[in-house]
Amino acid sequence: MIKTKLYPILLLTLALFVSACSGGSDDSQTENNETQATESTTEASDDVRTIDIIGIDKMKFVVKEEGEMLGTASTVETAQGDSYILLESIDAKPGEKIRIRLTTKSQLPPQAMSHNWVLLNKNADPATFANAATGASDNDYIPSDMSDQIIAHTAMAGGDETVEVTFTAPEETGDYPYLCSFPAHFSAGMKGVLNVQ
Ligand SMILES: [Cu+2]
């Protein structure tokens, strides 16, 4: 009598257990697929807008592809024969979170060729900043007495190195200058404007 009452309950428990297990494996399968999809793209896993910039020996900021919010005009050919698009400005929304990921493409030693990306205040003069930076070799060419003019900056990246910085675009609209502060790179054209609008 007891056995016949327990048997259906046992079956039911077993059925629930099996379905729970198979359901679990379905979930983990989905998770695996999602992980693979994320890894195969260059986008970061979070939803921060990421801009991949390359610094080349010709002392220019370039990108691989034209982006919707990237001010790009001419094509730049490197000495190695690679073709890139010159990056002259970046459009941003007020308060937008942005990640700049900068890679230096160079065979030269880092003392001779490194790049960084420095975003300055709207009213800052990038030429003055670049001049001051040449004397700040002991601080990765960031003049410490002008830190109040910096909104965000990456570290220096030598050949094949990638550095990044995530920052929030200013709420105030306008043109914010950015530059590479390695000596002579600003005057060679390693500069641009973050256009907040
Ligand atoms: Cu540079």
Side-chain angles (χ1 to χ4, degrees):
M1 197 63 184
I2 296 164
K3 270 184 182 173
T4 48
K5 270 191 174 175
L6 270 177
Y7 191 60
I9 295 169
L10 268 171
L11 271 181
L12 184 66
T13 312
L14 190 67
L16 282 172
F17 182 70
V18 168
S19 76
C21 285
S22 64
S25 73
D26 279 348
D27 283 352
S28 66
Q29 191 69 46
T30 312
E31 272 167 25
N32 281 342
N33 288 344
E34 278 169 9
T35 307
Q36 281 165 8
T38 306
E39 281 170 356
S40 66
T41 64
T42 52
E43 293 304 313
S45 55
D46 53 31
D47 57 0
V48 177
R49 180 179 156 215
T50 301
I51 302 166
D52 281 301
I53 302 178
I54 299 162
I56 56 174
D57 284 353
K58 283 185 171 175
M59 295 169 282
K60 299 282 186 287
F61 288 121
V62 298
V63 288
K64 278 183 183 164
E65 292 166 17
E66 257 178 90
E68 194 186 331
M69 297 178 87
L70 302 177
T72 51
S74 37
T75 304
V76 186
E77 201 92 10
T78 66
Q80 292 77 32
D82 297 319
S83 185
Y84 295 108
I85 299 163
L86 183 68
L87 178 69
E88 292 174 309
S89 67
I90 300 167
D91 288 347
K93 296 182 184 77
E96 185 184 11
K97 215 170 181 194
I98 298 171
R99 176 184 292 114
I100 298 291
R101 198 157 48 193
L102 171 68
T103 300
T104 295
K105 284 264 171 79
S106 183
Q107 307 288 326
L108 298 167
Q111 298 87 343
M113 187 60 66
S114 290
H115 304 297
N116 65 359
W117 188 89
V118 186
L119 177 66
L120 300 179
N121 284 337
K122 198 156 70 163
N123 302 323
D125 176 24
T128 306
F129 186 93
N131 274 337
T134 55
S137 58
D138 55 342
N139 194 38
D140 255 8
Y141 297 107
I142 297 292
S144 47
D145 58 341
M146 295 177 93
S147 56
D148 59 330
Q149 297 192 12
I150 302 172
I151 295 172
H153 75 90
T154 69
M156 276 289 173
D160 288 332
E161 284 180 343
T162 299
V163 291
E164 64 173 49
V165 64
T166 303
F167 66 97
T168 304
E171 291 292 342
E172 199 183 333
T173 58
D175 286 347
Y176 295 76
Y178 63 80
L179 73 151
C180 169
S181 70
F182 196 88
H185 286 199
F186 168 78
S187 53
M190 215 161 180
K191 59 183 175 177
V193 162
L194 182 80
N195 178 18
V196 180
Q197 56 186 1

